[in-house]
Amino acid sequence: MKLKRFFVGGLFATILSASAIFAQTVTPINQIQGEVFKSAFEGKPVTTRGIVTAIVRRGFYIQTPDAEIDANPKTSEGIYVFTNQEAPNVSLGNLVEVSGTVTEYVPRAERYFLPLTEIVRPTTKVISKDNPLPNPISLTTAEINPQSKLDQMERFEGMRVKVEQLIVVAPTGGRVNEKTGEATTDGVFFGVVAGTPRPFREAGLDALTIIMDKLPNTIPMFDMNPELLRIDSDSQTGAKPIDVTAGATLKNLTGVVDYSFKSYTILVDANNPPVIEGNKTFIATSPAGEREVTVGAFNIENFFDDGVNSKDVNKETIYPTDVFQKRLNKASLAIRKGLSSPDVLGIIEVENLIVLKKLADKINADTVADGKPNPNYQAYLEESNDIRGIDVGFLVKTSKVKVVEAKAIGKDEKLVWAGANEKEMLHDRPPFLLSAEVTDAKTNQTFAFTTIVNHFKSYRGIDDPKDGDRVRNKRRLQAEWLAKSIEERTKANPTERLIAVGDFNAFPFNDGFNDLIGILKGKSEQNVVTPSKTAFQTGLVNLADYIDAKNRYSYVFGGSAQILDHILVNKPARERAVKFGYARLNADFPAVYRGDINRPERLSDHDAPVFYMSLDEKKPAEATKPN
């Protein structure tokens, strides 16, 4: 996708004087909205008129009747009226006269946000009732496309729009009640107009961040995928939430355009829900072949149990027993049916060894109950430094794999950086190393490999004015420490098969702040806010680089598909590579699936990568990359 430096149309535009307009008694909505995203009437009192097109919890939307619209396609004919309570005495189809003050709303917590034009402190008078709603504007790829400006939907702000076919690219979100295990929907998902490729996260900082913070133009810019449409299916009064998977199609979706969470959002009409087609189910990775060894990684998201396992009960998350048993059942299903029971599986975000052993026992019992041989999974883990009590560890199929060594590495390393607290540790969740062997029954030869599971510091706070520098440097130093450790192991034993897996909380490219995967590969991009100062000769490659571009994701955020979960391998491991892929059972599925213990989807929000190695030595021409 081609990036541009002029995404925000009119960001620095001169706002013309509106003194002549104020002489009018009723100011048309299109004049209040204007051609740029900030109104010329900001902070001024106005009286305007329009038909009520949508009612939401704290206000309503009005739009100019079709017969009164102007001829300028750059000006919106709709606007939001903020009442801060249920809209008083208005109904859909009312023609109303609204008097109030124009404001450009930006949430207090948002530093990077396009303002939403609103009328606040309104008084409303109903002129007539039961008017037909204005005809919706049809959105096509001509209006909404990847090459357009970030604010390409500004000209439709507050207006009714229609999408003939919307393809879902991010599933419906929601929440889970930790006390009951019940999952509830929030009705929000993302889509694109049919014919638009699925949007992916690209290199660089968000366009709004670069523009508003005036950062150097050497840092690449991510255009924030302006083709994305955020869909809020139940914001309008009386609307029912829609739960969809990525890949589903919605036909005849109609609603009003809002701007929320840095996204242009369609608030779906309550009385005119779309037709839904094509919800999908999970796609499993294949089991290890007869002469294959599989290594995977799985972030199982805050996997706590029902017992007291720490000295500080007040800080420990304790699930009710029935809730934990449901999660245990779902995790077993996900690993057995979704990941096809890898031989070695790095586990991320599990509470401790006790909990991981419970998971191993559950998988073993369920496998036998399913009429298959006991994999005899065993758990390996050491307690981490994480204040929330989440760790990394391994499940190892000991019916096939012999563990030679299992240990945490770097646990006692301090964060050595000018602004760090002297007591702060470098690794909240220290990497965990496991050396293993598989005996080839055909040749009686030993196939050895070493896997390191990781969970780097998250993006949380990375752009914070006060704490961002510490966050960026801690992430950088974690990657450098691991890269140095792998470089040293490689020098000491050049034939060791090394595999680094886990949730690295990093994209496979420069994200504008850091380039963590580049550091691990020894090819770090320097055009970042916090560059690495050292290059390490790790010999690692990222297996995701070798698969089809449309499959390069393990997570979906803000509608954009992206990779956070990686498997990197060195040359000896790569020489035995057979294939690589992701089990599709979380990132594309709605949050409400978490409450269904009889399906493997949505145990967490991360898809799991799995790497396949051959026990047979490959010919030189074949030993370049996985399929």
Side-chain angles (χ1 to χ4, degrees):
M1 188 180 294
K2 186 177 180 181
L3 302 182
K4 301 181 180 180
R5 291 277 171 186
F6 48 91
F7 294 100
V8 185
L11 182 61
F12 304 108
T14 301
I15 298 178
L16 300 177
S17 170
S19 58
I21 300 174
F22 281 119
Q24 299 179 20
T25 302
V26 175
T27 305
I29 293 172
N30 50 58
Q31 291 186 23
I32 297 171
Q33 286 282 12
E35 292 189 6
V36 295
F37 68 84
K38 277 200 170 186
S39 171
F41 294 85
E42 183 180 8
K44 301 183 183 301
V46 296
T47 295
T48 193
R49 186 177 294 174
I51 295 174
V52 176
T53 56
I55 300 172
V56 295
R57 187 167 62 91
R58 300 175 70 184
F60 58 95
Y61 294 80
I62 59 175
Q63 184 170 330
T64 308
D66 287 340
E68 299 175 19
I69 63 173
D70 68 0
N72 186 351
K74 296 180 181 179
T75 59
S76 170
E77 300 290 346
I79 197 166
Y80 179 51
V81 181
F82 176 69
T83 60
N84 202 25
Q85 59 185 355
E86 289 188 13
N89 304 319
V90 298
S91 301
L92 293 181
N94 285 175
L95 176 64
V96 296
E97 189 170 278
V98 176
S99 297
T101 303
V102 177
T103 188
E104 293 292 345
Y105 173 71
V106 174
R108 290 182 181 178
E110 288 287 359
R111 293 177 59 209
Y112 314 110
F113 199 83
L114 298 178
L116 175 68
T117 306
E118 300 179 349
I119 296 176
V120 300
R121 297 184 291 279
T123 58
T124 304
K125 180 174 67 175
V126 177
I127 299 172
S128 63
K129 299 180 180 180
D130 299 323
N131 297 282
L133 299 186
N135 290 319
I137 301 293
S138 289
L139 301 181
T140 69
T141 53
E143 290 88 16
I144 311 300
N145 62 74
Q147 283 72 45
S148 293
K149 299 175 183 179
L150 181 59
D151 64 343
Q152 62 181 322
M153 289 282 287
E154 171 68 19
R155 64 194 188 276
F156 305 126
E157 182 182 275
M159 294 181 66
R160 299 189 73 229
V161 296
K162 181 179 181 179
V163 182
E164 297 289 345
Q165 286 195 60
L166 180 113
I167 308 301
V168 178
V169 295
T172 310
R175 305 164 197 82
V176 176
N177 186 320
E178 292 184 353
K179 294 182 178 179
T180 66
E182 293 180 357
T184 55
T185 180
D186 65 7
V188 175
F189 53 96
F190 287 81
V192 293
V193 177
T196 305
R198 184 173 191 169
F200 280 73
R201 181 54 162 89
E202 296 157 338
L205 280 175
D206 286 357
L208 285 176
T209 303
I210 286 185
I211 293 170
M212 294 184 177
D213 282 355
K214 299 179 181 179
L215 296 174
N217 60 14
T218 53
I219 296 174
M221 179 186 285
F222 168 49
D223 67 359
M224 300 175 67
N225 289 329
E227 67 271 32
L228 277 167
L229 295 171
R230 182 174 179 268
I231 311 299
D232 192 336
S233 62
D234 62 353
S235 272
Q236 287 202 39
T237 300
K240 304 295 183 184
I242 296 172
D243 291 305
V244 284
T245 71
T249 299
L250 276 68
K251 294 183 177 179
N252 298 320
L253 184 144
T254 305
V256 171
V257 176
D258 183 52
Y259 184 78
S260 302
F261 297 93
K262 301 181 184 179
S263 301
Y264 284 100
T265 302
I266 299 178
L267 310 181
V268 179
D269 282 355
N271 301 324
N272 186 27
V275 176
I276 304 166
E277 297 177 352
N279 277 329
K280 65 183 183 181
T281 57
F282 74 98
I283 302 173
T285 54
S286 58
E290 184 178 352
R291 301 193 56 72
E292 292 176 352
V293 177
T294 53
V295 176
F298 196 7
N299 184 327
I300 58 176
E301 195 179 1
N302 297 326
F303 204 83
F304 300 99
D305 73 351
D306 56 345
V308 177
N309 303 311
S310 68
K311 296 179 181 179
D312 192 346
V313 179
N314 294 324
K315 291 184 179 180
E316 184 175 355
T317 300
I318 302 173
Y319 286 117
T321 298
D322 62 329
V323 173
F324 172 63
Q325 290 300 321
K326 290 175 181 178
R327 285 213 79 197
L328 204 59
N329 187 79
K330 198 169 181 70
S332 173
L333 265 177
I335 291 169
R336 290 181 298 113
K337 303 298 185 180
L339 279 68
S340 299
S341 301
D343 299 323
V344 173
L345 181 61
I347 296 290
I348 300 100
E349 290 201 24
V350 64
E351 183 177 5
N352 52 37
L353 184 59
I354 295 171
V355 180
L356 193 56
K357 284 182 175 179
K358 290 179 181 179
L359 178 55
D361 293 342
K362 175 65 172 172
I363 296 170
N364 294 337
D366 288 348
T367 303
V368 172
D370 203 25
K372 297 178 181 179
N374 189 345
N376 197 18
Y377 273 112
Q378 299 295 317
Y380 295 86
L381 180 149
E382 289 183 24
E383 197 62 36
S384 73
N385 302 317
D386 188 88
I387 60 173
R388 289 202 302 125
I390 54 172
D391 305 328
V392 297
F394 283 101
L395 290 176
V396 181
K397 189 185 289 183
T398 58
S399 61
K400 178 178 178 179
V401 179
K402 176 184 176 182
V403 175
V404 177
E405 181 181 33
K407 63 180 182 180
I409 56 176
K411 183 176 181 179
D412 298 326
E413 295 289 328
K414 295 289 184 66
L415 177 59
V416 181
W417 171 68
N421 184 308
E422 62 180 12
K423 294 182 179 181
E424 184 171 1
M425 308 306 293
L426 174 60
H427 301 291
D428 301 311
R429 285 91 47 179
F432 194 81
L433 179 146
L434 183 130
S435 293
E437 297 176 348
V438 173
T439 299
D440 185 346
K442 179 179 178 181
T443 65
N444 207 33
Q445 297 293 311
T446 298
F447 180 82
F449 57 97
T450 296
T451 307
I452 305 172
V453 62
N454 304 272
H455 189 194
F456 284 2
K457 181 170 180 54
S458 75
Y459 278 97
R460 187 185 300 274
I462 199 165
D463 60 353
D464 186 274
K466 294 181 179 179
D467 197 39
D469 201 26
R470 180 191 67 87
V471 173
R472 295 188 293 271
N473 277 285
K474 184 166 184 172
R475 285 164 54 83
R476 171 183 65 84
L477 289 166
Q478 286 177 343
E480 289 179 353
W481 187 92
L482 180 61
K484 182 180 179 182
S485 299
I486 290 174
E487 180 185 63
E488 291 172 348
R489 287 188 72 93
T490 300
K491 288 180 179 178
N493 183 5
T495 62
E496 181 181 32
R497 298 181 185 93
L498 270 173
I499 308 163
V501 308
D503 176 4
F504 291 90
N505 272 315
F507 307 136
F509 39 65
N510 167 3
D511 60 27
F513 293 114
N514 299 109
D515 182 17
L516 304 190
I517 300 301
I519 291 172
L520 294 177
K521 293 163 62 176
K523 300 175 182 178
S524 178
E525 171 64 58
Q526 295 302 298
N527 290 327
V528 294
V529 175
T530 306
S532 176
K533 298 178 173 64
T534 309
F536 300 94
Q537 302 304 309
T538 63
L540 296 178
V541 298
N542 189 356
L543 293 176
D545 293 343
Y546 297 105
I547 63 176
D548 192 312
K550 70 176 182 293
N551 291 322
R552 293 177 191 167
Y553 69 99
S554 67
Y555 191 79
V556 180
F557 182 77
S560 296
Q562 54 200 252
I563 303 179
L564 296 180
D565 308 84
H566 305 265
I567 294 184
L568 298 99
V569 301
N570 69 353
K571 187 172 184 293
R574 192 167 73 252
E575 288 174 345
R576 293 297 183 97
V578 177
K579 58 184 176 181
F580 168 80
Y582 289 90
R584 300 296 179 199
L585 73 167
N586 290 313
D588 287 337
F589 297 93
V592 291
Y593 283 14
R594 289 191 63 165
D596 187 343
I597 65 169
N598 296 312
R599 62 188 312 158
E601 295 101 335
R602 204 65 187 196
L603 173 70
S604 76
D605 47 7
H606 292 251
D607 284 344
V610 180
F611 171 47
Y612 298 69
M613 293 180 289
S614 175
L615 294 176
D616 296 317
E617 190 171 351
K618 298 169 74 174
K619 297 177 181 179
E622 300 173 333
T624 56
K625 63 182 182 180
N627 296 327

